[in-house]
Amino acid sequence: MSIPQYSADTPASDIAAALGEAGCVVVTGVMDAELRQSITGELAPDMAKTPIIEEDDPEEFYPGRTRRISALVARSTSVTDHLIAHPLTQQVCETHLLPNCEHGYQLHVSAALEVGPGAREQILHREEDPFTFFPLPRPSIIVASMWAVTDFRADNGATLVVPGSHKWPADREAEPGEILNAEMPAGAVLYWMGGLLHGAGANTSRDWRYGVILTYSLGWVRQEENQYLDVPRERVAELSPELRRIVGFDMYSALGFYDPTVATGKST
Ligand SMILES: O=C(O)CCC(=O)C(=O)O
């Protein structure tokens, strides 16, 4: 099975259908150079302060020679305003998550990831691995996206994916020939289902690979990234109602109720 690839003008319903079938899909031409530059510019001061993992421990989830920062709602208005609620992402989430969460889906993780020369392959995993309550193959809980800020090539650590593995039972392991690099030019996005085996590829080149990962989950599960601690209240107040809902600052039916007089500091 291969990785389906489409251009940005393809109907979103075709892209979502291909994602459901293969478990992953690349869409090219969704982020222009100006937006990519704004993202790296806004994140540069925090990225520069973040140490690169120098020592590689093969047992560790995060390989050496990589670095990452999360809390992108707090750190990048470009990511927040242009990527988090991107219309294509919304269509994909509506197709694959909304049937399992009638009151809406939410941002699960936001992070910028750099894979440097010499980084090894990351251990293959599924975004839905924390939800051990459900046996494999699980119902759809998560949809993930990786936005290519630089080119993603096989030699610079393009994400490894195992097409079709979102439908596998627990005892099915990936054969080497089934593990593919999701190569894509800068400005493209890779979507994958939360049940898909994937991980960062090894970087044997001299370049750093830079991507923004945004994942989404059913509104009734715990978010992997704690947005209540990662996004300051003043920043929450700046978000549109739509973004506030997606980032998780809204109720899901009765879940997550709060007292607005405390949250806003205004008395009734
Ligand atoms: O960097 C990548 O390509 C994938 C990253 C990933 O899967 C993770 O950090 O969980």
Side-chain angles (χ1 to χ4, degrees):
M1 203 180 243
S2 57
I3 306 169
Q5 182 157 330
Y6 295 98
S7 56
D9 57 4
T10 308
S13 53
D14 292 0
I15 293 168
L19 172 62
E21 197 45 42
C24 51
V25 63
V26 166
V27 186
T28 56
V30 283
M31 193 175 36
D32 63 23
E34 196 184 335
L35 177 55
R36 299 199 302 273
Q37 239 171 29
S38 309
I39 293 170
T40 48
E42 287 162 3
L43 295 177
D46 289 334
M47 199 56 118
K49 278 188 247 153
T50 305
I52 297 163
I53 306 170
E54 288 299 343
E55 290 299 316
D56 183 52
D57 175 348
E59 303 286 312
E60 274 296 317
F61 185 68
Y62 295 132
R65 305 296 305 157
T66 64
R67 67 179 167 179
R68 63 199 64 226
I69 54 173
S70 59
L72 300 194
V73 176
R75 290 178 153 141
S76 169
T77 51
S78 297
V79 169
T80 309
D81 294 348
H82 298 285
L83 301 191
I84 287 179
H86 192 283
L88 184 54
T89 298
Q90 294 211 47
Q91 280 263 308
V92 160
C93 288
E94 278 168 25
T95 303
H96 293 292
L97 296 181
L98 218 46
N100 293 351
C101 58
E102 72 227 62
H103 299 293
Y105 52 87
Q106 61 191 350
L107 186 67
H108 197 59
V109 166
S110 67
L113 313 180
E114 281 196 292
V115 173
R120 65 161 164 85
E121 282 178 10
Q122 190 180 27
I123 297 160
L124 291 180
H125 58 282
R126 294 178 161 95
E127 303 298 3
E128 290 167 357
D129 283 340
F131 300 100
T132 50
F133 176 80
F134 297 104
L136 287 172
R138 301 186 174 101
S140 289
I141 303 169
I142 293 175
V143 165
S145 62
M146 174 71 81
W147 297 78
V149 176
T150 59
D151 289 337
F152 272 45
R153 304 185 312 266
D155 72 342
N156 76 354
T159 309
L160 295 168
V161 291
V162 184
S165 58
H166 60 310
K167 298 182 179 176
W168 290 359
D171 60 357
R172 170 85 154 87
E173 285 187 14
E175 305 288 337
E178 295 176 310
I179 307 170
L180 308 178
N181 283 105
E183 293 194 287
M184 53 181 171
V189 63
L190 164 71
Y191 290 105
W192 69 96
M193 299 297 293
L196 193 85
L197 284 169
H198 72 284
N203 188 341
T204 57
S205 78
R206 292 159 168 263
D207 312 325
W208 281 78
R209 188 221 76 179
Y210 194 124
V212 167
I213 185 170
L214 299 172
T215 69
Y216 301 82
S217 55
L218 307 179
W220 48 266
V221 303
R222 174 114 204 242
Q223 291 163 293
E224 187 166 340
E225 180 183 9
N226 191 330
Q227 301 293 344
Y228 312 130
L229 296 178
D230 267 0
V231 187
R233 278 213 191 152
E234 314 80 69
R235 180 75 184 113
V236 177
E238 292 168 358
L239 302 177
S240 67
E242 180 188 49
L243 274 168
R244 217 172 302 156
R245 181 190 65 71
I246 293 177
V247 177
F249 290 90
D250 204 355
M251 288 169 59
Y252 179 97
S253 185
L255 303 178
F257 79 83
Y258 58 95
D259 183 334
T261 63
V262 175
T264 62
K266 291 184 197 138
S267 58
T268 44

